Structure formats: structure tokens, C-alpha cells
Amino acid sequence: MEKKTQRSQRTLVLVPAPYQGHINPMLQLGAFLHSKGFSITVVHTHFNSPNPSNHHNFTFLSIPDGLTAGQISSGNLIGILLAINANCKESFQQCLTQVMKQEARNDITCIIHDELMYFPEPVANNLNIPSLILRPNSATNFIARSALLRLHSKGYIPFPLPDSLSLKPVPELHPLRFKDLPISTFDTLENYSKLMVNAQNVRTSSAIIWNTPDCLEQSSLEQIQQQCQVPILSMGPLHKIATAASSSLLEEDTSCIAWLDKQSHNSVIYVSLGSLASIAEKDLDEMAWGLANSEQPFLWVIRPGSVCGSDWIDLLPQGLKEAIGERGCIVKWAPQKEILSHDAVGGFWSHCGWNSTLESISEGVPMICKPFSYDQKVHARYLSQVWKTGLQLENEIERGEIERAVRKLMVDIEGKEMRVRALELKEKIEASFKSGSLYGSLNDLVDLIRSF
Ligand code: UDP
């Protein structure tokens, strides 16, 4: 256990799920609540533990997660999360009991846990501490996930999806098609359902904190609130409400900012497939030649290990370097938020994880959407069909389609129109900071926690 700071009176215990897309919003929420005078303790698993050195104001406590080396190396996110939830209840309770025993530390006001980490909730009940859920995902994904679980429980959804069904619309979920449902490709639908039924369940939580802006997802949020007994506090994008230090699990290569500084306004396409997606060698080849042939400058994050069978960029095709010269910059991990707000960045080719989607929308950057699994497919469909700030790649990764999509986004009138709509969304989000729903939700959350 590591202690980082002296605490004040009211301590909030935060329990993020151990993945980048979940750690970021939880620590951003922590930064906001710290700015409101709360003391923040982050309880995390050994697996993918966040780096405390960037968060001197927080206390970080690590609990054993009981994961085996085999489970970790499998990369099976569903299996890992199910195991963590099965293994961690006792160690979490011990950890909190110890915290409460220590002098002047019997003051845990509330536990805020990620929706995928549901083991803290019974512990909170045992210790008589109120709890809140953070949903770091879109409200629309929640609705799609509920529909998927319903269809699955009735035996209406075969897995894997047959081609004959994949393009059909899901009843009452326009514009989603069956292929857009947030199905996992990592595990069986049974295990996925087991995890998600628990994640969807509100149980005894006092409220739901949602990392989404009301102005983007009003109708989905209203629909959910009608069926939810506790308040829903939509307060996204969290990365904009408080200045939080980086919570990257990988080291950010900031040298690409100097490269971006040399590029002209809106000229660069930023390419990143997030912290989990991986591609085959042939996809790498197609991506590389698609980007090169588009003749647009690009900044490409290739995460170590994200190309199957390769450590990093050793499998990049021969002749690529000569073909792109100074027009391409490749890094292992980037300061993404800074990049998206850079004047030179005019487009984002993304896997459409919710954080990346929000980060792009809040900077008015239009997107090329290539989802892999889970919620990414819902977001890609909404970006292209509802918010109309994205262009979805529907087929296998192929150089010709990539070249055309990049040109469409960066050069053609269609891309310019998407940029205009993206900037309108950015303005709406900025407006919600000054007044309106976001402001209300932030106050409601602070008032609620103070009332405990
Ligand atoms: N990210 C980053 N640098 C990179 C790539 C991604 O900092 O080079 C961050 C990104 O800003 C986002 C998170 O990693 O906050 C990825 O979360 P997201 O929900 O988009 O996707 P996931 O990784 O969960 O699939």
C-alpha cells in the first residue's frame, strides 16, 4: 500500500476498472471532486495499476486481484473482469476496514465504483457506506446493451451473428443494425451477458454518474431515467470538467507535438485504435499503404503488441518509409487530448471507444470510424448516422477504401461539412459548461455526496 497525501475530513473511495478507457474518466472525476474539497483514495487491482506519480493529491491503495498469469496473458477482458469481481470482495473489505481503523480515517463518505467493478457494492453495504456507480460509457450503448441482453435471454440472437441478420435493423433501436450491437469478440455471449447483467444492475447505489454530455445524448438519458429509480447525473465529458494529470498506463511520446507544430492547419489525420484493439499483419499493411496513398500527413499510434506477431513496427511494409518521407509520424502512445486540440489536426481515424469519441467531439474533430467490438460499434453508427461527424469504414481494412475515406474526410466537401457539424457539437458542449444541465449535474453530485 502506498500513501501519497495527507487527507482532509471527507474521503471518497474510487474503484476504477483496470483498463485505460475506465481509469481515465474515474481519475478525471476524482480530480473534479478533489477540487471540491474531498479527499480521494483510489483502490485498484495489481493488474494494470495506475501510476500514482502523476496524482500527488490522491492516495492509491492496491488490492490483490487473484488473477493468474494465464488469465492476464489471455487478454480476455470479460474473463479477467469476471475473475476480478469474484476474487476482490474480501481484499477490498479488508482494505477499507484497515483504512477506517487508522486514526482519523474512519470517515469514508462514499464509494464510487466503475459499472464493471460491482464487487465494491456489497462491501459498501456491509460497512454501511453509500455507493455510486460511474458509467464511463455512452447512454446509447447502455440501451443497446439492454436490448442485446433481452434478445439473448429470449434466445433471439444467435452467436456469432449470421450474415443474413447482420445488416437488419434492430427493432426500436434505429439506426442500429444487428451488427452494431455491442457484442464482444473476446468471449462467449454467456460470459459477456453474465458480466453485463451485473454492470447494468443499479442495486443499492444512490445515483449513477454518467460520462456523457446531456446535449449529445438527451433522448437516451431521458429514456433510461424513466426506468431508473435513482438520479442519473450526466456530467461529461469528464476530461473537460477538471484538469486531471495524465493517467496513461503507457508512456506518452510527446515528441510528436513538435512534428505537428510543423504541419499546416487541419491538415493531419490522427490515427489511433485505442488501448485494447489489435490488428493482423495484413491489416497493418493495408493501413500503411492506405495512409501513404492518401498523400495526407498522418500521425499514427501503433501500440506495442497491437499488431499480432510483432513487438512494434517491425512488420511495417518495405518501401513505406521512402514513400511517406516526413509526411508520416509514428509513435507508441501519444498525448491524445493534446493532439486532438492541436491546430494541425483535422481528422481522427478511431476505433470509437467512448473516451476517444468524446475527446474528438469536444475538439470539433470529424472522424473515420473503424470499430472493433463492444460499444465502439454503437458509437461508430451514431457518429456516422446521427451526429453525422464520422465516416464509417464498413468492410475489412483495405488500402483503397482507406485512401478514399482519408481524402473524403481531409480534402472533400463531405469532410468539410462533417467538420462544421463537429464544431457545432463542440460549441454545444462548451455552452453546457457555462450553464444548463452539466452545471446542474455537477452541483447535484457534490450536494448529494455532502448529504451522506
Ligand atoms: N489514449 C492516449 N494515447 C494514445 C491512445 C489513446 O492517451 O495514444 C487515451 C485516449 O485519450 C482515451 C483512452 O486512451 O482517453 C482510450 O479510451 P477509449 O474509450 O477511447 O478506448 P479503449 O482504449 O477503452 O478501447
Side-chain angles (χ1 to χ4, degrees), residues 57-71:
N57 294 323
F58 298 177
T59 299
F60 286 83
L61 302 175
S62 178
I63 52 171
D65 47 44
L67 292 175
T68 62
Q71 280 169 322

Side-chain angles (χ1 to χ4, degrees), residues 262-275:
K262 289 189 227 140
Q263 313 301 320
S264 51
H265 177 60
N266 277 352
S267 67
V268 174
I269 175 129
Y270 168 60
V271 184
S272 165
L273 306 179
S275 64

Side-chain angles (χ1 to χ4, degrees), residues 141-201:
N141 176 62
F142 182 89
I143 292 175
R145 208 158 68 178
S146 306
L148 174 64
L149 294 174
R150 228 175 15 251
L151 289 166
H152 175 57
S153 70
K154 289 182 180 156
Y156 291 164
I157 188 150
F159 186 75
L161 271 185
D163 286 348
S164 56
L165 196 60
S166 105
L167 289 176
K168 294 223 164 98
V170 184
E172 294 171 30
L173 285 191
H174 177 77
L176 297 185
R177 305 156 298 181
F178 277 87
K179 73 177 261 198
D180 304 318
L181 286 173
I183 291 176
S184 136
T185 45
F186 287 105
D187 205 328
T188 62
L189 200 48
E190 273 62 38
N191 277 344
Y192 175 77
S193 298
K194 197 169 153 192
L195 182 70
M196 292 308 161
V197 163
N198 279 299
Q200 302 275 103
N201 199 338

Side-chain angles (χ1 to χ4, degrees), residues 2 53 56 86 104 121 131 161 174 191 204 235 238 248 261 267 334 337 356 359 375 416:
E2 315 164 47
S53 63
H56 296 289
E121 197 249 7
S131 67
L161 271 185
H174 177 77
N191 277 344
T204 58
M235 41 192 304
L238 282 168
S248 277
D261 288 342
S267 67
K337 293 192 290 294
S356 296
E359 289 160 13
D375 56 324
K416 292 199 170 70

Side-chain angles (χ1 to χ4, degrees), residues 318-330:
Q318 281 196 353
L320 181 81
K321 216 163 169 236
E322 296 70 27
I324 58 174
E326 296 295 305
R327 195 160 40 74
C329 174
I330 298 177

Side-chain angles (χ1 to χ4, degrees), residues 253-319:
D253 181 345
T254 50
S255 66
C256 53
I257 300 293
W259 179 86
L260 275 180
D261 288 342
K262 289 189 227 140
Q263 313 301 320
S264 51
H265 177 60
N266 277 352
S267 67
V268 174
I269 175 129
Y270 168 60
V271 184
S272 165
L273 306 179
S275 64
L276 293 167
S278 60
I279 55 171
E281 182 183 346
K282 82 170 175 24
D283 298 328
L284 181 79
D285 232 48
E286 297 299 313
M287 283 179 82
W289 286 122
L291 288 168
N293 297 343
S294 75
E295 297 185 340
Q296 304 305 305
F298 62 88
L299 167 55
W300 187 5
V301 175
I302 304 183
R303 217 179 61 246
S306 65
V307 181
C308 304
S310 149
D311 284 339
W312 188 38
I313 52 173
D314 34 306
L315 295 179
L316 274 176
Q318 281 196 353

Side-chain angles (χ1 to χ4, degrees), residues 19-22 24-25 28 136 246 248 252 270 272-277 301 331-337 339-340 350-357 359 375-376:
Y19 290 98
Q20 190 70 73
H22 294 250
N24 291 1
Q28 288 152 4
S246 162
S248 277
E252 292 172 354
Y270 168 60
S272 165
L273 306 179
S275 64
L276 293 167
V301 175
V331 294
K332 291 181 175 171
W333 192 253
Q336 181 163 302
K337 293 192 290 294
I339 283 168
L340 287 168
S350 170
H351 69 309
C352 303
W354 188 233
N355 293 283
S356 296
T357 302
E359 289 160 13
D375 56 324
Q376 300 156 19

Side-chain angles (χ1 to χ4, degrees), residues 103-133:
E103 205 185 343
R105 289 194 180 184
N106 53 353
D107 58 346
I108 298 175
T109 304
C110 168
I111 296 170
I112 305 178
H113 61 92
D114 188 283
E115 62 173 11
L116 297 179
M117 303 287 268
Y118 43 87
F119 68 84
E121 197 249 7
V123 176
N125 287 338
N126 287 345
L127 300 176
N128 216 7
I129 302 169
S131 67
L132 304 174
I133 295 175

